[in-house]
Amino acid sequence: MDSDRGGTHVPPRFVAAGVSENHEGNRTARDRLVQQRERDRARERRRRTLIVASAVVGVLGLAAVVGLIAAEAGKDDGGSGAGPAVAPSGATGEEALTLRVGPADAPSTLTIWEDFRCPVCAQFETAFRKTLHDLQSSGRIKVEYHLATIIDGNVGGSGSLRAANAAACAQDAGKFADYHDVLFANQPAESDDAFARNSKLIELAGKVEGLDTPAFRSCVEGGTHDSWVQKSNTAFGDGGFQGTPTALLNGESIFPSKDGQQISEANLKKWVAEANKGKEPAKVTPTPSAS
């Protein structure tokens, strides 16, 4: 018998139980390791967000920054429109994804990527709107706007998409610049998806003289440029940009800083003057509009 050979005989049922308990312990350890890794990744994401937010607060001198969101944090599907991308009238650039404000032959180009739900975009516009208008009206720059919808992808809703479509509809009417400013001046809280309501977008169109027309309403309510907006958002993701707003002067990033200097109204004017040295300003012409 086994007991005559010395040692301890363990009944088979207890051997099986021991194996099961050991397996369960290994699985629990693996689960703890996975959970710890997730916590570490979340902590690192929060650390990066705080660093970026602190930089924006220092640059703009504004409190309560929550809107500069890394593009990787949450992405809209961006390319699955219900139909072909219909570019708004006067759109320019590669694949007609650019809405230009200012003279086409201005010596310098400021490229701006924005999301109408992005709080930091609204803060950027508030801080630099007058300076940008002055630089445009004096023929020193043209501003090329590109629209993104990353807030929809990050916090849910459709306000970024709906507002961008409405802005494109305003471009059809030759009123993009004015409506763009109205949207940012009346931006709801990031958690409030008020721009998802076409009625709200049409109401705000009443603040732009001549914009609230049957054609504009039909464009907004029908989502005429939805696929174009989604195509623009895809281009934003493909461009590898870190968040909105993104601002590039002649292709060089200037937000939140350039060459170690934080952006400010004075620095923005200085950078444009340096870029335009030896070049004549353009003659100011109207922004392209629908015929």
Side-chain angles (χ1 to χ4, degrees):
M1 294 178 63
D2 290 342
S3 59
D4 293 337
R5 299 175 186 174
T8 302
H9 173 69
V10 180
R13 64 178 179 275
F14 293 134
V15 172
V19 170
S20 176
E21 289 169 1
N22 185 56
H23 176 72
E24 183 65 26
N26 289 339
R27 186 173 64 182
T28 301
R30 286 196 301 271
D31 289 345
R32 286 198 299 270
L33 181 60
V34 169
Q35 291 169 0
Q36 183 59 46
R37 287 174 177 170
E38 287 297 326
R39 286 193 293 269
D40 290 344
R41 282 195 289 266
R43 189 159 44 246
E44 176 62 16
R45 285 195 297 270
R46 288 194 296 271
R47 186 186 70 84
R48 291 198 304 267
T49 299
L50 287 172
I51 290 172
V52 173
S54 297
V56 173
V57 170
V59 167
L60 298 182
L62 299 169
V65 174
V66 292
L68 186 60
I69 300 178
E72 65 186 31
K75 294 182 179 179
D76 192 63
D77 61 7
S80 57
V86 178
S89 177
T92 63
E94 186 175 354
E95 298 191 82
L97 295 177
T98 301
L99 301 182
R100 176 173 56 79
V101 177
D105 56 346
S108 286
T109 301
L110 182 63
T111 303
I112 299 179
W113 288 87
E114 291 181 319
D115 181 328
F116 286 110
R117 287 182 72 189
C118 163
V120 180
C121 295
Q123 293 169 351
F124 177 88
E125 287 294 330
T126 299
F128 298 107
R129 181 179 293 119
K130 183 180 184 302
T131 301
L132 293 180
H133 286 180
D134 289 345
L135 292 170
Q136 293 162 14
S137 63
S138 60
R140 286 176 282 176
I141 64 167
K142 61 179 175 290
V143 180
E144 295 187 341
Y145 288 99
H146 297 261
L147 307 182
T149 62
I150 63 171
I151 303 298
D152 286 356
N154 277 284
V155 304
S158 61
S160 298
L161 173 63
R162 300 262 44 81
N165 173 70
C169 295
Q171 170 71 16
D172 287 335
K175 308 276 186 184
F176 169 76
D178 289 341
Y179 190 60
H180 162 276
D181 290 353
V182 165
L183 287 175
F184 278 121
N186 293 272
Q187 184 189 74
E190 185 179 14
S191 58
D192 179 3
D193 197 21
F195 282 172
R197 301 195 302 272
N198 291 332
S199 59
K200 179 64 175 179
L201 298 169
I202 292 171
E203 173 192 330
L204 292 175
K207 296 179 179 291
V208 178
E209 184 177 358
L211 179 56
D212 186 5
T213 64
F216 175 79
R217 290 188 174 214
S218 176
C219 182
V220 171
E221 292 169 347
T224 298
H225 300 298
D226 281 0
S227 293
W228 176 84
V229 173
Q230 292 171 332
K231 189 174 182 180
S232 179
N233 187 63
T234 297
F236 173 80
D238 292 344
F241 303 114
Q242 295 303 303
T244 55
T246 288
L248 311 169
L249 179 60
N250 296 331
E252 182 180 3
S253 177
I254 62 170
F255 182 84
S257 63
K258 174 182 178 294
D259 297 331
Q261 300 179 66
Q262 293 185 334
I263 193 171
S264 65
E265 290 182 277
N267 277 340
L268 179 55
K269 291 176 182 178
K270 182 186 72 171
W271 296 335
V272 171
E274 291 172 349
N276 290 354
K277 188 175 182 179
K279 302 174 184 177
E280 290 294 322
K283 293 182 179 180
V284 178
T285 55
T287 301
S289 62
S291 59

